[in-house]
């Protein structure tokens, strides 16, 4: 009888221990689909947007003294303005492909190549837009003074091939249709900016949002119709990049990442041996990274 009691007690304790394994903790009482990720925790990224990890593998140096503005297209090709304001195209591994040399030189203030089929070149001194095909052959040129009564500070190409312009003279964000040569939308910025004195540097549309970089106060975010949404408090920037669902920028010897939806932040140190003060810009593709310094562009495999 005593032996039967011991056996029954052992079975009861084993069942209790098994049941306790399936009881959720107080910290996870909400369903997994409704749990909130804290801003300080990095959200898991899809495999296609894997983050760069040290050590970075240096492939080559593109010897291009004093490289200017640059852009990546969806296929990973690199577009860089050289010191003479020619636009140079390189493959993802940094091998030269094509060069566009304009007939009339002008300062290249912004390049946007994400569209792949069309590349936008904005000359701020000549107030001119140049559209190129994927091989850097000219498609058309637009003289902005014929359509905008003011000075355009930044420009970017939207996925529908329309062009967003920052009219700095009148503080208006404008959408321009190069097909009909008409302004289609206007968003006044004076009430949004308030009494601050902005220093606009960069404009980019990404994932149905528009990002306007103000070096003084942060990054203004608009939807794809030009409606103001919010401001991100990242100051002191001249440009930003996008990779997967993250915005990134370079500061204090590291690449800083900001997740556009979970709001998580993380940072990745620049490669060893890279002088942080000499870095002008960093562009990140899916498999390669490009670090811009006065001597050229260093190509790294991630």
């Amino acid at each position: 009888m005593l032996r039967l009691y011991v056996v029954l007690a052992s079975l009861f304790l084993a069942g209790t221990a098994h049941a306790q394994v399936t009881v959720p903790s107080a910290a996870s009482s909400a369903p997994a689909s409704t749990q909130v990720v804290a801003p300080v925790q990095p959200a898991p990224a899809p495999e296609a947007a894997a983050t760069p990890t040290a050590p970075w593998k240096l492939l080559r140096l593109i010897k291009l003294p004093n490289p200017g503005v640059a852009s990546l297209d969806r296929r990973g090709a690199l577009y860089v303005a050289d010191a003479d304001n020619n636009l140079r195209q390189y493959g993802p591994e940094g091998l030269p492909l094509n060069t566009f040399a304009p007939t009339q030189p002008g300062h290249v203030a912004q390049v946007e190549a994400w569209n792949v089929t069309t590349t936008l070149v904005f000359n701020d001194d000549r107030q001119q837009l140049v559209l190129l095909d994927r091989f850097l052959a000219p498609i058309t040129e637009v003289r902005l003074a014929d359509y905008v009564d003011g000075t355009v500070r930044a420009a970017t190409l939207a996925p529908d091939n329309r062009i967003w312009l920052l009219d700095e003279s009148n503080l208006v964000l404008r959408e321009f249709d190069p097909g009909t040569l008409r302004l289609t939308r206007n968003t006044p910025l004076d009430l949004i900016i308030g009494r601050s004195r902005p220093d606009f540097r960069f404009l980019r549309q990404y994932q149905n949002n528009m990002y306007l970089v103000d070096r003084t106060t942060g990054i203004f975010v608009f939807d794809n119709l030009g409606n103001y949404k919010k401001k991100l408090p990242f100051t002191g920037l001249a440009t930003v990049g996008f990779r997967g669902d993250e915005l990134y920028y370079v500061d204090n010897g590291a690449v800083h990442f900001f997740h556009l939806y979970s709001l998580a932040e993380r940072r990745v140190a620049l490669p060893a041996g890279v002088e942080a003060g000499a870095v002008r810009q960093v562009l990140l593709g899916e498999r390669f990274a490009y670090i811009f310094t006065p001597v050229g562009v260093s190509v790294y495999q991630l």
Side-chain angles (χ1 to χ4, degrees):
M1 186 71 178
L2 178 60
R3 181 177 181 181
L4 176 62
Y5 174 79
V6 171
V7 171
L8 291 174
S10 299
L11 292 173
F12 175 77
L13 291 175
T16 303
H18 177 73
Q20 288 176 344
V21 173
T22 62
V23 176
S25 66
S28 61
S29 58
S33 60
T34 61
Q35 291 183 8
V36 179
V37 179
V40 296
Q41 299 175 349
E47 184 177 353
T51 58
T53 56
W56 303 30
K57 181 181 178 182
L58 179 63
L59 293 183
R60 62 178 46 85
L61 171 66
I62 302 175
K63 295 182 179 180
L64 195 67
N66 296 314
V69 293
S71 179
L72 294 173
D73 68 20
R74 292 177 187 270
R75 298 179 180 178
L78 173 67
Y79 300 74
V80 186
D82 63 23
D84 295 322
N85 291 296
N86 301 313
L87 184 64
R88 297 178 180 268
Q89 181 190 51
Y90 298 88
E93 296 184 355
L95 300 177
L97 296 177
N98 298 292
T99 300
F100 168 68
T103 55
Q104 295 181 332
H107 177 254
V108 179
Q110 192 160 343
V111 174
E112 179 52 63
W114 187 250
N115 194 304
V116 175
T117 58
T118 306
T119 297
L120 171 72
V121 177
F122 169 53
N123 300 121
D124 57 350
D125 56 349
R126 302 185 65 234
Q127 289 292 286
Q128 175 182 265
L129 302 175
V130 180
L131 297 179
L132 310 172
D133 67 14
R134 56 181 296 190
F135 303 106
L136 299 190
I139 298 175
T140 187
E141 296 182 3
V142 178
R143 184 173 176 267
L144 291 174
D146 295 336
Y147 309 98
V148 178
D149 184 19
T151 300
V152 174
R153 171 72 167 177
T156 192
L157 187 65
D160 59 1
N161 282 327
R162 296 193 177 187
I163 301 170
W164 284 96
L165 309 169
L166 173 65
D167 181 351
E168 189 174 47
S169 300
N170 301 295
L171 289 180
V172 178
L173 186 63
R174 304 186 188 276
E175 184 188 54
F176 178 74
D177 185 349
T180 61
L181 299 177
R182 295 176 56 240
L183 294 171
T184 53
R185 287 190 177 91
N186 298 283
T187 301
L189 301 178
D190 49 355
L191 295 179
I192 299 172
I193 295 171
R195 295 180 177 275
S196 66
R197 301 184 63 179
D199 181 8
F200 295 119
R201 296 297 185 94
F202 183 78
L203 182 64
R204 172 82 189 276
Q205 183 168 343
Y206 185 76
Q207 292 187 352
N208 292 322
N209 281 329
M210 189 82 57
Y211 296 86
L212 174 59
V213 176
D214 172 19
R215 189 177 181 88
T216 304
T217 64
I219 304 172
F220 294 89
V221 183
F222 305 81
D223 65 17
N224 60 352
L225 299 179
N227 300 308
Y228 175 69
K229 297 177 65 175
K230 59 184 177 181
K231 184 168 68 173
L232 304 178
F234 304 131
T235 59
L237 304 179
T239 183
V240 296
F242 297 90
R243 186 172 185 266
D245 290 337
E246 291 180 302
L247 173 152
Y248 65 86
Y249 59 92
V250 181
D251 183 51
N252 196 25
V255 182
H256 296 250
F257 294 85
F258 173 77
H259 199 281
L260 300 174
Y261 307 107
S262 72
L263 310 184
E265 298 187 48
R266 61 189 181 90
R267 64 195 300 268
V268 175
L270 291 172
V274 174
E275 184 182 349
V279 175
R280 297 180 174 179
Q281 184 180 358
V282 172
L283 288 180
L284 299 177
E286 291 300 322
R287 298 187 300 121
F288 300 95
Y290 311 89
I291 298 182
F292 296 72
T293 65
V295 298
V297 183
S298 297
V299 182
Y300 291 84
Q301 186 173 4
L302 299 177

